[in-house]
Amino acid sequence: MANPVARAAARLTPFRQGQLGALCGIYCTLNALQIAAYPLRPLGLPKARSLFASAVAITRKQHPSLNPVTHGMANERMIWLAHHMAKLASTKQMRFVAEACDREDIRGWIEESLNSGAPVVACLIDWAHFSVIVDMTPNRLVLFDSQGMSSLPVSLNDPLADVIDRAGTIRVRRNTLT
């Protein structure tokens, strides 16, 4: 049986980015929030548009020398943005938290995250692209991606260091408040 993240991703469609922008950091965070919110409180298109506009505006305000539309962003800024977007997406009933990877064993950390229902945002090294990992097999990462990538091959013996930049890896958790 698939993990809760893969089950949610199978029922959703990723928000997609255009060909001219380098906005994968914003889109992957929106896609991770969409999965984390499902099925309790789906992240609808109006909320996603609002979060997207806020993310672009706050990124440009906080980092005026950065143009996230055409140049994307570095890992530290991506983590900062994920924290910010998780806060903005939170409601009285549901709080989102973005947590950066804090272990050397990235494979174990990803498995733990997915099994607990937390989608994983990762910086894919060869593509200089952020995507959402929704499942992992011994030889493949399954993606919920803003550019349409569905999976990446990996080696069981590889610690994923050749595929994923650990410094740009985040999980998005949903906490339901009572």
Side-chain angles (χ1 to χ4, degrees), residues 37-149:
Y38 185 86
L40 296 179
R41 199 161 183 77
L43 186 66
L45 197 53
K47 180 67 173 178
R49 281 187 176 132
S50 173
L51 287 168
F52 178 85
S54 294
V56 171
I58 195 72
T59 300
R60 291 196 62 132
K61 181 179 178 184
Q62 292 290 344
H63 306 284
S65 64
L66 170 72
N67 187 345
V69 175
T70 57
H71 294 94
M73 64 187 76
N75 291 335
E76 312 81 50
R77 289 181 176 148
M78 176 55 203
I79 292 169
W80 171 85
L81 181 63
H83 286 287
H84 176 75
M85 289 177 71
K87 246 186 233 183
L88 283 178
S90 294
T91 66
K92 290 180 183 177
Q93 299 83 19
M94 192 179 306
R95 185 171 64 100
F96 296 98
V97 178
E99 303 168 333
C101 181
D102 60 358
R103 294 197 331 229
E104 287 297 318
D105 175 20
I106 192 166
R107 184 180 292 273
W109 188 86
I110 291 171
E111 286 175 357
E112 173 189 300
S113 299
L114 297 175
N115 288 330
S116 71
V120 174
V121 171
C123 180
L124 309 177
I125 295 171
D126 286 348
W127 293 268
H129 174 65
F130 288 100
S131 188
V132 182
I133 299 170
V134 297
D135 205 0
M136 185 168 49
T137 69
N139 59 1
R140 190 160 295 284
L141 296 176
V142 179
L143 305 175
F144 191 76
D145 187 68
S146 64
Q147 289 185 338
M149 293 172 60

